[in-house]
Amino acid sequence: DGSIASLVSANVDAGFSIISYTGTGSTATVGHGLNQPVELILVKNTSASASWAVYSAPTGINKFLELNSSGAATSYSNYWGVATPTNDVFGVVNGNFNNNATNASLIAYCFHSVAGYSKIGSYVGNGSSTGPTIVTGFEPAWIMIKRTDATANWRILDNKRSTTNPINKELYPPLSNAEGTFSALDFLSNGFQIINTDSSYNASGGTYIYMVFATNPT
């Protein structure tokens, strides 16, 4: 459906699709195969050394994150096109090396929230050990969190390595480190609560994005 031809494998019910396309070097759109606007996109140039480019709905089309970096969201006008993603397409920037370099082979993984199954969103930290409670509508099984307004590693936690609260076994996508141990949050029957004051999770006024999947999808 986009101005760039794309090869798409999509699970509309799960809100997830995989897209391969060839970069044009010009501002363009790419069909994502879903029937709702995507809220998180991970793009990798597979034909050259390049960082992962990450779009999130909370940070918008004029900023990007990198999955292989702890850096804050970087401002770049129209990095994700000239309009927010639609039910059919997302945008890519004019000639950017990480999501639309000329003749580059690119792979994109796209997600949107599905009630009872997944949730993509954001929260603001309060700097208290009784941190924000985020309602997802289900008990989480897996979560990825990233602070967007300052440097902080991506964090991944789940209920298989941490079988009881607090959920405290962390993995860090940008790093080759073994898992870390830190009492980060509690999984609740309808969401999760931050239980620390660490700046990677809960700086006062800090902004964070998250993606969560359910233990028992409904």
mmCIF file of all heavy atoms in Angstrom, residues 99-150:
data_model
loop_
_atom_site.group_PDB
_atom_site.id
_atom_site.type_symbol
_atom_site.label_atom_id
_atom_site.label_comp_id
_atom_site.label_asym_id
_atom_site.label_seq_id
_atom_site.Cartn_x
_atom_site.Cartn_y
_atom_site.Cartn_z
ATOM 1 N N ASN A 99 16.840 3.878 7.849
ATOM 2 C CA ASN A 99 15.523 3.345 7.492
ATOM 3 C C ASN A 99 15.134 3.539 6.023
ATOM 4 O O ASN A 99 14.074 3.080 5.620
ATOM 5 C CB ASN A 99 14.428 3.906 8.417
ATOM 6 C CG ASN A 99 14.104 5.368 8.177
ATOM 7 O OD1 ASN A 99 14.609 5.994 7.251
ATOM 8 N ND2 ASN A 99 13.265 5.924 9.038
ATOM 9 N N ASN A 100 16.004 4.177 5.226
ATOM 10 C CA ASN A 100 15.646 4.341 3.810
ATOM 11 C C ASN A 100 16.826 4.721 2.929
ATOM 12 O O ASN A 100 16.674 5.481 1.976
ATOM 13 C CB ASN A 100 14.542 5.397 3.660
ATOM 14 C CG ASN A 100 13.895 5.381 2.285
ATOM 15 O OD1 ASN A 100 13.852 4.351 1.626
ATOM 16 N ND2 ASN A 100 13.404 6.539 1.860
ATOM 17 N N ALA A 101 17.999 4.189 3.208
ATOM 18 C CA ALA A 101 19.147 4.474 2.347
ATOM 19 C C ALA A 101 18.912 3.911 0.948
ATOM 20 O O ALA A 101 18.289 2.860 0.774
ATOM 21 C CB ALA A 101 20.415 3.874 2.949
ATOM 22 N N THR A 102 19.424 4.605 -0.045
ATOM 23 C CA THR A 102 19.232 4.193 -1.437
ATOM 24 C C THR A 102 19.736 2.776 -1.680
ATOM 25 O O THR A 102 20.881 2.440 -1.338
ATOM 26 C CB THR A 102 19.962 5.161 -2.382
ATOM 27 O OG1 THR A 102 19.482 6.487 -2.149
ATOM 28 C CG2 THR A 102 19.720 4.787 -3.833
ATOM 29 N N ASN A 103 18.846 1.925 -2.200
ATOM 30 C CA ASN A 103 19.151 0.525 -2.564
ATOM 31 C C ASN A 103 19.476 -0.363 -1.370
ATOM 32 O O ASN A 103 19.921 -1.503 -1.556
ATOM 33 C CB ASN A 103 20.282 0.459 -3.587
ATOM 34 C CG ASN A 103 19.906 1.089 -4.909
ATOM 35 O OD1 ASN A 103 18.769 0.992 -5.343
ATOM 36 N ND2 ASN A 103 20.867 1.749 -5.550
ATOM 37 N N ALA A 104 19.270 0.123 -0.142
ATOM 38 C CA ALA A 104 19.523 -0.711 1.039
ATOM 39 C C ALA A 104 18.427 -1.754 1.187
ATOM 40 O O ALA A 104 17.251 -1.498 0.915
ATOM 41 C CB ALA A 104 19.576 0.148 2.292
ATOM 42 N N SER A 105 18.814 -2.949 1.627
ATOM 43 C CA SER A 105 17.836 -3.982 1.986
ATOM 44 C C SER A 105 17.447 -3.771 3.440
ATOM 45 O O SER A 105 18.318 -3.752 4.320
ATOM 46 C CB SER A 105 18.437 -5.376 1.798
ATOM 47 O OG SER A 105 18.773 -5.600 0.445
ATOM 48 N N LEU A 106 16.155 -3.609 3.701
ATOM 49 C CA LEU A 106 15.689 -3.264 5.046
ATOM 50 C C LEU A 106 14.617 -4.239 5.513
ATOM 51 O O LEU A 106 13.805 -4.731 4.728
ATOM 52 C CB LEU A 106 15.137 -1.839 5.062
ATOM 53 C CG LEU A 106 16.200 -0.774 4.735
ATOM 54 C CD1 LEU A 106 15.703 0.167 3.656
ATOM 55 C CD2 LEU A 106 16.601 -0.011 5.981
ATOM 56 N N ILE A 107 14.641 -4.519 6.813
ATOM 57 C CA ILE A 107 13.615 -5.350 7.442
ATOM 58 C C ILE A 107 12.987 -4.537 8.566
ATOM 59 O O ILE A 107 13.690 -3.831 9.289
ATOM 60 C CB ILE A 107 14.211 -6.677 7.974
ATOM 61 C CG1 ILE A 107 13.114 -7.663 8.355
ATOM 62 C CG2 ILE A 107 15.163 -6.463 9.118
ATOM 63 C CD1 ILE A 107 12.533 -8.402 7.158
ATOM 64 N N ALA A 108 11.672 -4.595 8.673
ATOM 65 C CA ALA A 108 10.956 -3.840 9.703
ATOM 66 C C ALA A 108 10.023 -4.773 10.452
ATOM 67 O O ALA A 108 9.356 -5.628 9.844
ATOM 68 C CB ALA A 108 10.167 -2.693 9.083
ATOM 69 N N TYR A 109 9.975 -4.604 11.770
ATOM 70 C CA TYR A 109 9.054 -5.337 12.627
ATOM 71 C C TYR A 109 8.093 -4.322 13.228
ATOM 72 O O TYR A 109 8.529 -3.393 13.913
ATOM 73 C CB TYR A 109 9.812 -6.079 13.728
ATOM 74 C CG TYR A 109 10.901 -6.990 13.196
ATOM 75 C CD1 TYR A 109 12.236 -6.595 13.229
ATOM 76 C CD2 TYR A 109 10.594 -8.226 12.639
ATOM 77 C CE1 TYR A 109 13.242 -7.413 12.731
ATOM 78 C CE2 TYR A 109 11.587 -9.053 12.143
ATOM 79 C CZ TYR A 109 12.908 -8.644 12.186
ATOM 80 O OH TYR A 109 13.899 -9.454 11.692
ATOM 81 N N CYS A 110 6.797 -4.485 12.960
ATOM 82 C CA CYS A 110 5.799 -3.490 13.346
ATOM 83 C C CYS A 110 4.814 -4.080 14.355
ATOM 84 O O CYS A 110 4.380 -5.235 14.214
ATOM 85 C CB CYS A 110 5.029 -3.020 12.124
ATOM 86 S SG CYS A 110 6.014 -2.117 10.914
ATOM 87 N N PHE A 111 4.417 -3.256 15.325
ATOM 88 C CA PHE A 111 3.504 -3.700 16.378
ATOM 89 C C PHE A 111 2.461 -2.631 16.660
ATOM 90 O O PHE A 111 2.746 -1.430 16.574
ATOM 91 C CB PHE A 111 4.267 -3.941 17.694
ATOM 92 C CG PHE A 111 5.401 -4.907 17.616
ATOM 93 C CD1 PHE A 111 6.673 -4.488 17.208
ATOM 94 C CD2 PHE A 111 5.236 -6.241 17.973
ATOM 95 C CE1 PHE A 111 7.737 -5.372 17.160
ATOM 96 C CE2 PHE A 111 6.300 -7.129 17.922
ATOM 97 C CZ PHE A 111 7.552 -6.697 17.514
ATOM 98 N N HIS A 112 1.258 -3.053 17.037
ATOM 99 C CA HIS A 112 0.305 -2.160 17.690
ATOM 100 C C HIS A 112 -0.362 -2.913 18.832
ATOM 101 O O HIS A 112 -0.340 -4.157 18.872
ATOM 102 C CB HIS A 112 -0.726 -1.583 16.710
ATOM 103 C CG HIS A 112 -1.681 -2.575 16.110
ATOM 104 N ND1 HIS A 112 -2.666 -3.212 16.839
ATOM 105 C CD2 HIS A 112 -1.821 -3.025 14.836
ATOM 106 C CE1 HIS A 112 -3.367 -4.011 16.057
ATOM 107 N NE2 HIS A 112 -2.865 -3.920 14.830
ATOM 108 N N SER A 113 -0.930 -2.183 19.763
ATOM 109 C CA SER A 113 -1.582 -2.789 20.924
ATOM 110 C C SER A 113 -2.807 -3.588 20.486
ATOM 111 O O SER A 113 -3.524 -3.215 19.555
ATOM 112 C CB SER A 113 -2.021 -1.706 21.909
ATOM 113 O OG SER A 113 -0.941 -0.922 22.345
ATOM 114 N N VAL A 114 -3.050 -4.696 21.211
ATOM 115 C CA VAL A 114 -4.245 -5.508 21.015
ATOM 116 C C VAL A 114 -4.848 -5.762 22.395
ATOM 117 O O VAL A 114 -4.166 -6.310 23.276
ATOM 118 C CB VAL A 114 -3.919 -6.851 20.327
ATOM 119 C CG1 VAL A 114 -5.167 -7.728 20.238
ATOM 120 C CG2 VAL A 114 -3.326 -6.617 18.945
ATOM 121 N N ALA A 115 -6.096 -5.366 22.591
ATOM 122 C CA ALA A 115 -6.736 -5.497 23.904
ATOM 123 C C ALA A 115 -6.655 -6.934 24.400
ATOM 124 O O ALA A 115 -6.975 -7.876 23.674
ATOM 125 C CB ALA A 115 -8.192 -5.051 23.808
ATOM 126 N N GLY A 116 -6.194 -7.095 25.646
ATOM 127 C CA GLY A 116 -6.095 -8.416 26.258
ATOM 128 C C GLY A 116 -4.869 -9.207 25.871
ATOM 129 O O GLY A 116 -4.652 -10.309 26.390
ATOM 130 N N TYR A 117 -4.053 -8.665 24.975
ATOM 131 C CA TYR A 117 -2.880 -9.401 24.478
ATOM 132 C C TYR A 117 -1.590 -8.605 24.583
ATOM 133 O O TYR A 117 -0.565 -9.128 25.037
ATOM 134 C CB TYR A 117 -3.117 -9.805 23.021
ATOM 135 C CG TYR A 117 -1.915 -10.418 22.344
ATOM 136 C CD1 TYR A 117 -1.442 -11.670 22.731
ATOM 137 C CD2 TYR A 117 -1.257 -9.747 21.319
ATOM 138 C CE1 TYR A 117 -0.333 -12.236 22.121
ATOM 139 C CE2 TYR A 117 -0.150 -10.295 20.696
ATOM 140 C CZ TYR A 117 0.309 -11.540 21.100
ATOM 141 O OH TYR A 117 1.407 -12.087 20.492
ATOM 142 N N SER A 118 -1.626 -7.342 24.162
ATOM 143 C CA SER A 118 -0.403 -6.525 24.169
ATOM 144 C C SER A 118 -0.757 -5.074 24.436
ATOM 145 O O SER A 118 -1.893 -4.647 24.220
ATOM 146 C CB SER A 118 0.348 -6.646 22.839
ATOM 147 O OG SER A 118 -0.439 -6.133 21.783
ATOM 148 N N LYS A 119 0.244 -4.333 24.902
ATOM 149 C CA LYS A 119 0.045 -2.914 25.164
ATOM 150 C C LYS A 119 1.348 -2.174 24.919
ATOM 151 O O LYS A 119 2.406 -2.556 25.436
ATOM 152 C CB LYS A 119 -0.413 -2.687 26.609
ATOM 153 C CG LYS A 119 -0.615 -1.230 26.999
ATOM 154 C CD LYS A 119 -1.802 -0.610 26.299
ATOM 155 C CE LYS A 119 -2.059 0.796 26.828
ATOM 156 N NZ LYS A 119 -3.171 1.450 26.086
ATOM 157 N N ILE A 120 1.277 -1.116 24.125
ATOM 158 C CA ILE A 120 2.399 -0.217 23.880
ATOM 159 C C ILE A 120 1.976 1.156 24.376
ATOM 160 O O ILE A 120 0.879 1.621 24.062
ATOM 161 C CB ILE A 120 2.747 -0.166 22.390
ATOM 162 C CG1 ILE A 120 3.210 -1.549 21.902
ATOM 163 C CG2 ILE A 120 3.822 0.880 22.104
ATOM 164 C CD1 ILE A 120 3.161 -1.721 20.410
ATOM 165 N N GLY A 121 2.813 1.781 25.191
ATOM 166 C CA GLY A 121 2.417 3.070 25.743
ATOM 167 C C GLY A 121 3.569 3.790 26.390
ATOM 168 O O GLY A 121 4.743 3.482 26.143
ATOM 169 N N SER A 122 3.249 4.739 27.255
ATOM 170 C CA SER A 122 4.262 5.545 27.917
ATOM 171 C C SER A 122 3.791 5.921 29.311
ATOM 172 O O SER A 122 2.590 5.849 29.620
ATOM 173 C CB SER A 122 4.561 6.811 27.108
ATOM 174 O OG SER A 122 3.397 7.630 27.018
ATOM 175 N N TYR A 123 4.737 6.325 30.136
ATOM 176 C CA TYR A 123 4.413 6.846 31.463
ATOM 177 C C TYR A 123 5.464 7.864 31.857
ATOM 178 O O TYR A 123 6.534 7.962 31.242
ATOM 179 C CB TYR A 123 4.298 5.720 32.497
ATOM 180 C CG TYR A 123 5.591 4.989 32.826
ATOM 181 C CD1 TYR A 123 6.452 5.431 33.843
ATOM 182 C CD2 TYR A 123 5.949 3.841 32.124
ATOM 183 C CE1 TYR A 123 7.618 4.761 34.144
ATOM 184 C CE2 TYR A 123 7.123 3.155 32.406
ATOM 185 C CZ TYR A 123 7.953 3.621 33.431
ATOM 186 O OH TYR A 123 9.123 2.948 33.721
ATOM 187 N N VAL A 124 5.143 8.624 32.910
ATOM 188 C CA VAL A 124 6.056 9.622 33.460
ATOM 189 C C VAL A 124 6.441 9.201 34.865
ATOM 190 O O VAL A 124 5.574 8.859 35.680
ATOM 191 C CB VAL A 124 5.405 11.018 33.473
ATOM 192 C CG1 VAL A 124 6.333 12.043 34.119
ATOM 193 C CG2 VAL A 124 5.046 11.451 32.055
ATOM 194 N N GLY A 125 7.734 9.192 35.167
ATOM 195 C CA GLY A 125 8.210 8.780 36.481
ATOM 196 C C GLY A 125 7.856 9.788 37.562
ATOM 197 O O GLY A 125 7.664 10.981 37.292
ATOM 198 N N ASN A 126 7.813 9.289 38.817
ATOM 199 C CA ASN A 126 7.541 10.186 39.953
ATOM 200 C C ASN A 126 8.688 10.248 40.949
ATOM 201 O O ASN A 126 8.611 10.977 41.942
ATOM 202 C CB ASN A 126 6.238 9.802 40.653
ATOM 203 C CG ASN A 126 6.269 8.413 41.274
ATOM 204 O OD1 ASN A 126 7.335 7.796 41.403
ATOM 205 N ND2 ASN A 126 5.109 7.904 41.655
ATOM 206 N N GLY A 127 9.767 9.474 40.712
ATOM 207 C CA GLY A 127 10.923 9.528 41.591
ATOM 208 C C GLY A 127 10.707 8.922 42.952
ATOM 209 O O GLY A 127 11.533 9.097 43.848
ATOM 210 N N SER A 128 9.625 8.164 43.145
ATOM 211 C CA SER A 128 9.294 7.564 44.438
ATOM 212 C C SER A 128 9.419 6.051 44.357
ATOM 213 O O SER A 128 9.194 5.451 43.295
ATOM 214 C CB SER A 128 7.874 7.948 44.850
ATOM 215 O OG SER A 128 7.422 7.177 45.937
ATOM 216 N N SER A 129 9.742 5.407 45.498
ATOM 217 C CA SER A 129 9.791 3.943 45.520
ATOM 218 C C SER A 129 8.401 3.344 45.316
ATOM 219 O O SER A 129 8.273 2.169 44.965
ATOM 220 C CB SER A 129 10.392 3.450 46.834
ATOM 221 O OG SER A 129 9.646 3.920 47.945
ATOM 222 N N THR A 130 7.365 4.134 45.565
ATOM 223 C CA THR A 130 6.012 3.754 45.163
ATOM 224 C C THR A 130 5.766 4.419 43.818
ATOM 225 O O THR A 130 5.225 5.518 43.721
ATOM 226 C CB THR A 130 4.960 4.215 46.194
ATOM 227 O OG1 THR A 130 5.304 3.694 47.474
ATOM 228 C CG2 THR A 130 3.570 3.720 45.802
ATOM 229 N N GLY A 131 6.219 3.749 42.792
ATOM 230 C CA GLY A 131 6.234 4.357 41.475
ATOM 231 C C GLY A 131 4.905 4.277 40.759
ATOM 232 O O GLY A 131 3.898 3.800 41.321
ATOM 233 N N PRO A 132 4.858 4.737 39.522
ATOM 234 C CA PRO A 132 3.613 4.718 38.750
ATOM 235 C C PRO A 132 3.067 3.304 38.579
ATOM 236 O O PRO A 132 3.821 2.338 38.444
ATOM 237 C CB PRO A 132 4.026 5.303 37.397
ATOM 238 C CG PRO A 132 5.285 6.049 37.656
ATOM 239 C CD PRO A 132 5.977 5.318 38.758
ATOM 240 N N THR A 133 1.751 3.201 38.594
ATOM 241 C CA THR A 133 1.064 1.971 38.236
ATOM 242 C C THR A 133 0.491 2.152 36.837
ATOM 243 O O THR A 133 -0.242 3.110 36.580
ATOM 244 C CB THR A 133 -0.064 1.642 39.221
ATOM 245 O OG1 THR A 133 0.496 1.391 40.518
ATOM 246 C CG2 THR A 133 -0.838 0.406 38.773
ATOM 247 N N ILE A 134 0.832 1.240 35.945
ATOM 248 C CA ILE A 134 0.397 1.330 34.550
ATOM 249 C C ILE A 134 -0.612 0.215 34.300
ATOM 250 O O ILE A 134 -0.306 -0.966 34.503
ATOM 251 C CB ILE A 134 1.593 1.209 33.582
ATOM 252 C CG1 ILE A 134 2.510 2.436 33.713
ATOM 253 C CG2 ILE A 134 1.115 1.091 32.147
ATOM 254 C CD1 ILE A 134 3.537 2.333 34.795
ATOM 255 N N VAL A 135 -1.805 0.581 33.894
ATOM 256 C CA VAL A 135 -2.877 -0.373 33.639
ATOM 257 C C VAL A 135 -2.805 -0.838 32.183
ATOM 258 O O VAL A 135 -2.855 -0.018 31.259
ATOM 259 C CB VAL A 135 -4.251 0.252 33.928
ATOM 260 C CG1 VAL A 135 -5.367 -0.725 33.559
ATOM 261 C CG2 VAL A 135 -4.356 0.650 35.397
ATOM 262 N N THR A 136 -2.664 -2.142 32.006
ATOM 263 C CA THR A 136 -2.627 -2.729 30.662
ATOM 264 C C THR A 136 -3.891 -3.509 30.337
ATOM 265 O O THR A 136 -4.156 -3.804 29.174
ATOM 266 C CB THR A 136 -1.422 -3.679 30.526
ATOM 267 O OG1 THR A 136 -1.561 -4.747 31.470
ATOM 268 C CG2 THR A 136 -0.112 -2.943 30.786
ATOM 269 N N GLY A 137 -4.652 -3.887 31.383
ATOM 270 C CA GLY A 137 -5.847 -4.695 31.182
ATOM 271 C C GLY A 137 -5.592 -6.182 31.237
ATOM 272 O O GLY A 137 -6.503 -6.988 31.013
ATOM 273 N N PHE A 138 -4.359 -6.584 31.563
ATOM 274 C CA PHE A 138 -4.004 -8.000 31.669
ATOM 275 C C PHE A 138 -2.760 -8.130 32.542
ATOM 276 O O PHE A 138 -2.057 -7.152 32.798
ATOM 277 C CB PHE A 138 -3.747 -8.616 30.293
ATOM 278 C CG PHE A 138 -2.736 -7.859 29.459
ATOM 279 C CD1 PHE A 138 -1.370 -7.979 29.687
ATOM 280 C CD2 PHE A 138 -3.152 -7.020 28.427
ATOM 281 C CE1 PHE A 138 -0.435 -7.283 28.927
ATOM 282 C CE2 PHE A 138 -2.235 -6.325 27.651
ATOM 283 C CZ PHE A 138 -0.883 -6.459 27.906
ATOM 284 N N GLU A 139 -2.493 -9.367 32.988
ATOM 285 C CA GLU A 139 -1.268 -9.640 33.743
ATOM 286 C C GLU A 139 -0.115 -9.822 32.763
ATOM 287 O O GLU A 139 -0.193 -10.651 31.861
ATOM 288 C CB GLU A 139 -1.422 -10.900 34.588
ATOM 289 C CG GLU A 139 -0.179 -11.227 35.415
ATOM 290 C CD GLU A 139 -0.321 -12.471 36.252
ATOM 291 O OE1 GLU A 139 -1.449 -12.988 36.366
ATOM 292 O OE2 GLU A 139 0.708 -12.945 36.790
ATOM 293 N N PRO A 140 0.956 -9.052 32.913
ATOM 294 C CA PRO A 140 2.061 -9.152 31.954
ATOM 295 C C PRO A 140 2.859 -10.452 32.089
ATOM 296 O O PRO A 140 2.941 -11.049 33.172
ATOM 297 C CB PRO A 140 2.944 -7.951 32.320
ATOM 298 C CG PRO A 140 2.055 -7.027 33.089
ATOM 299 C CD PRO A 140 1.125 -7.930 33.838
ATOM 300 N N ALA A 141 3.444 -10.855 30.978
ATOM 301 C CA ALA A 141 4.422 -11.943 30.954
ATOM 302 C C ALA A 141 5.803 -11.425 30.570
ATOM 303 O O ALA A 141 6.821 -11.958 31.008
ATOM 304 C CB ALA A 141 3.996 -13.027 29.974
ATOM 305 N N TRP A 142 5.836 -10.377 29.742
ATOM 306 C CA TRP A 142 7.098 -9.853 29.169
ATOM 307 C C TRP A 142 6.950 -8.356 29.004
ATOM 308 O O TRP A 142 5.888 -7.867 28.599
ATOM 309 C CB TRP A 142 7.333 -10.514 27.823
ATOM 310 C CG TRP A 142 8.600 -10.164 27.088
ATOM 311 C CD1 TRP A 142 9.773 -10.879 27.079
ATOM 312 C CD2 TRP A 142 8.828 -9.043 26.195
ATOM 313 N NE1 TRP A 142 10.690 -10.268 26.245
ATOM 314 C CE2 TRP A 142 10.135 -9.141 25.701
ATOM 315 C CE3 TRP A 142 8.030 -7.968 25.786
ATOM 316 C CZ2 TRP A 142 10.679 -8.220 24.813
ATOM 317 C CZ3 TRP A 142 8.570 -7.033 24.904
ATOM 318 C CH2 TRP A 142 9.877 -7.170 24.426
ATOM 319 N N ILE A 143 8.027 -7.635 29.307
ATOM 320 C CA ILE A 143 7.978 -6.182 29.158
ATOM 321 C C ILE A 143 9.336 -5.657 28.713
ATOM 322 O O ILE A 143 10.383 -6.169 29.120
ATOM 323 C CB ILE A 143 7.548 -5.502 30.484
ATOM 324 C CG1 ILE A 143 7.398 -3.976 30.298
ATOM 325 C CG2 ILE A 143 8.517 -5.820 31.608
ATOM 326 C CD1 ILE A 143 6.721 -3.299 31.464
ATOM 327 N N MET A 144 9.306 -4.644 27.856
ATOM 328 C CA MET A 144 10.506 -3.901 27.475
ATOM 329 C C MET A 144 10.245 -2.425 27.761
ATOM 330 O O MET A 144 9.192 -1.893 27.388
ATOM 331 C CB MET A 144 10.843 -4.108 26.006
ATOM 332 C CG MET A 144 12.119 -3.387 25.558
ATOM 333 S SD MET A 144 12.733 -3.928 23.927
ATOM 334 C CE MET A 144 11.395 -3.382 22.846
ATOM 335 N N ILE A 145 11.194 -1.774 28.436
ATOM 336 C CA ILE A 145 11.055 -0.378 28.851
ATOM 337 C C ILE A 145 12.277 0.404 28.387
ATOM 338 O O ILE A 145 13.409 -0.095 28.434
ATOM 339 C CB ILE A 145 10.918 -0.269 30.386
ATOM 340 C CG1 ILE A 145 9.592 -0.872 30.847
ATOM 341 C CG2 ILE A 145 11.025 1.183 30.858
ATOM 342 C CD1 ILE A 145 9.419 -0.890 32.353
ATOM 343 N N LYS A 146 12.056 1.665 27.960
ATOM 344 C CA LYS A 146 13.155 2.552 27.598
ATOM 345 C C LYS A 146 12.825 3.979 28.020
ATOM 346 O O LYS A 146 11.757 4.498 27.698
ATOM 347 C CB LYS A 146 13.393 2.515 26.077
ATOM 348 C CG LYS A 146 14.455 3.512 25.577
ATOM 349 C CD LYS A 146 15.847 3.118 26.015
ATOM 350 C CE LYS A 146 16.933 4.031 25.427
ATOM 351 N NZ LYS A 146 17.081 5.297 26.193
ATOM 352 N N ARG A 147 13.755 4.614 28.738
ATOM 353 C CA ARG A 147 13.618 6.041 28.993
ATOM 354 C C ARG A 147 13.912 6.785 27.697
ATOM 355 O O ARG A 147 14.882 6.469 26.996
ATOM 356 C CB ARG A 147 14.572 6.484 30.098
ATOM 357 C CG ARG A 147 14.370 7.945 30.476
ATOM 358 C CD ARG A 147 15.185 8.380 31.668
ATOM 359 N NE ARG A 147 14.882 9.790 31.983
ATOM 360 C CZ ARG A 147 15.444 10.471 32.973
ATOM 361 N NH1 ARG A 147 16.322 9.875 33.770
ATOM 362 N NH2 ARG A 147 15.109 11.730 33.164
ATOM 363 N N THR A 148 13.099 7.783 27.377
ATOM 364 C CA THR A 148 13.236 8.455 26.089
ATOM 365 C C THR A 148 13.835 9.853 26.178
ATOM 366 O O THR A 148 14.292 10.383 25.162
ATOM 367 C CB THR A 148 11.875 8.561 25.386
ATOM 368 O OG1 THR A 148 10.976 9.335 26.188
ATOM 369 C CG2 THR A 148 11.288 7.182 25.140
ATOM 370 N N ASP A 149 13.843 10.466 27.369
ATOM 371 C CA ASP A 149 14.311 11.853 27.476
ATOM 372 C C ASP A 149 15.728 11.959 28.020
ATOM 373 O O ASP A 149 16.229 13.058 28.230
ATOM 374 C CB ASP A 149 13.354 12.682 28.347
ATOM 375 C CG ASP A 149 13.314 12.202 29.786
ATOM 376 O OD1 ASP A 149 13.483 10.979 30.030
ATOM 377 O OD2 ASP A 149 13.116 13.036 30.686
ATOM 378 N N ALA A 150 16.395 10.825 28.263
ATOM 379 C CA ALA A 150 17.761 10.828 28.784
ATOM 380 C C ALA A 150 18.398 9.474 28.498
ATOM 381 O O ALA A 150 17.706 8.505 28.145
ATOM 382 C CB ALA A 150 17.776 11.123 30.286
#
